[in-house]
Amino acid sequence: MNKNNNSSTAERILDIAQDLLQRKGFNGFSYQDIAERIEIRKASIHYHFPSKTDLAVSLCERYVNQFVERLHQVEQKNDSCLQRIKELFRFFARIIRDQEKLCPITMLTAEIEALPQAARLQLQRFITETECWLGRTLEQGKRSSELHYEGSFQSQSRILLAALQGAMLLARATGERGHFQSITDDLLKQLQKNSSQAISARIESPSLAVGIL
């Protein structure tokens, strides 16, 4: 097996593992489940990821790297701070289109005690990077009078991230994607200085990062 084939197989394993993670949680699938989906031997999976903890670290690192890169792309693409935040909301909306799925980070956080330290550090990095990106966007938006909120941009960024994660859990628990939609609509409206200047908050056409879902 050449280097390219090795890389391709490892990526396929990670793709399937991420899908299973988003549906069942980290402790809800085994190497046998992955092997059956890809139609390879379990030994082949162990070749790339000797243990499930190795797989967890690789999953976390890959997802966080891709997510952070997409955040940078959104920032470069959009001068409007409100539009940047709408793009972030669209990303999470795309995940819950499949009602059996949740964000990988949400799933892993729920099982953090079972994860190795290296994977936990990646989860912390996700939170830090996302909060920094939101904080920077919120600060710029308030300075330009495009966004309005009370308190510091640091606390507001944490509120938004927590609300997004909670809205996804609520949508999955109820089976109603509309719950996520209404919550994010309200969050966006609250960030605008007044309703007469409101840009449509509907987020029905996700445009962020297909590849990391």
Side-chain angles (χ1 to χ4, degrees):
M1 184 179 292
N2 62 40
K3 184 176 181 180
N4 287 337
N5 285 339
N6 273 330
S7 176
S8 176
T9 300
E11 286 299 310
R12 287 173 63 210
I13 291 170
L14 288 171
D15 289 342
I16 295 302
Q18 182 173 313
D19 182 71
L20 291 168
L21 165 68
Q22 289 182 254
R23 296 177 186 279
K24 300 182 177 182
F26 186 67
N27 289 319
F29 70 92
S30 67
Y31 274 20
Q32 183 61 39
D33 295 318
I34 300 173
E36 289 174 358
R37 288 274 297 270
I38 306 179
E39 298 184 343
I40 60 175
R41 296 180 299 117
K42 283 198 297 182
S44 298
I45 302 175
H46 283 287
Y47 172 81
H48 294 283
F49 307 101
S51 69
K52 201 175 179 186
T53 55
D54 295 314
L55 179 64
V57 173
S58 294
L59 270 175
C60 289
E61 185 174 11
R62 185 180 77 151
Y63 185 82
V64 175
N65 285 344
Q66 291 174 341
F67 184 81
V68 170
E69 175 59 27
R70 297 305 180 182
L71 288 181
H72 291 325
Q73 291 176 5
V74 167
E75 191 168 16
Q76 293 170 1
K77 176 183 174 183
N78 297 285
D79 292 330
S80 165
C81 293
L82 181 62
Q83 186 61 35
R84 292 177 198 171
I85 293 174
K86 287 174 70 177
E87 291 285 338
L88 178 65
F89 287 9
R90 285 172 180 153
F91 164 68
F92 288 114
R94 182 179 179 85
I95 293 176
I96 64 164
R97 277 188 167 183
D98 184 337
Q99 293 182 354
E100 295 181 354
K101 281 188 174 185
L102 275 180
C103 170
I105 299 300
T106 304
M107 285 296 215
L108 288 167
T109 300
E111 301 178 86
I112 195 167
E113 294 301 323
L115 300 179
Q117 182 62 21
R120 297 185 192 190
L121 290 174
Q122 289 297 324
L123 296 185
Q124 293 170 9
R125 179 177 160 232
F126 172 88
I127 295 169
T128 299
E129 293 275 7
T130 307
E131 286 185 352
C132 285
W133 184 89
L134 274 169
R136 185 167 62 250
T137 302
L138 289 163
E139 184 182 29
Q140 292 174 4
K142 193 170 190 178
R143 191 164 57 239
S144 66
S145 299
E146 183 183 11
L147 301 179
H148 173 76
Y149 53 89
E150 301 297 328
S152 68
F153 65 83
Q154 293 97 333
S155 62
Q156 187 65 29
S157 68
R158 291 171 187 146
I159 290 170
L160 286 179
L161 182 57
L164 284 171
Q165 296 290 336
M168 283 193 294
L169 287 169
L170 182 62
R172 190 186 195 194
T174 61
E176 292 291 338
R177 184 174 178 270
H179 287 325
F180 181 88
Q181 182 73 62
S182 62
I183 290 170
T184 52
D185 283 353
D186 286 343
L187 289 171
L188 288 169
K189 289 175 183 176
Q190 291 167 18
L191 286 173
Q192 297 171 79
K193 192 167 185 178
N194 61 66
S195 58
S196 66
Q197 296 174 343
I199 298 174
S200 174
R202 302 304 295 175
I203 54 175
E204 296 173 350
S205 303
S207 62
L208 182 70
V210 174
I212 65 176
L213 303 179

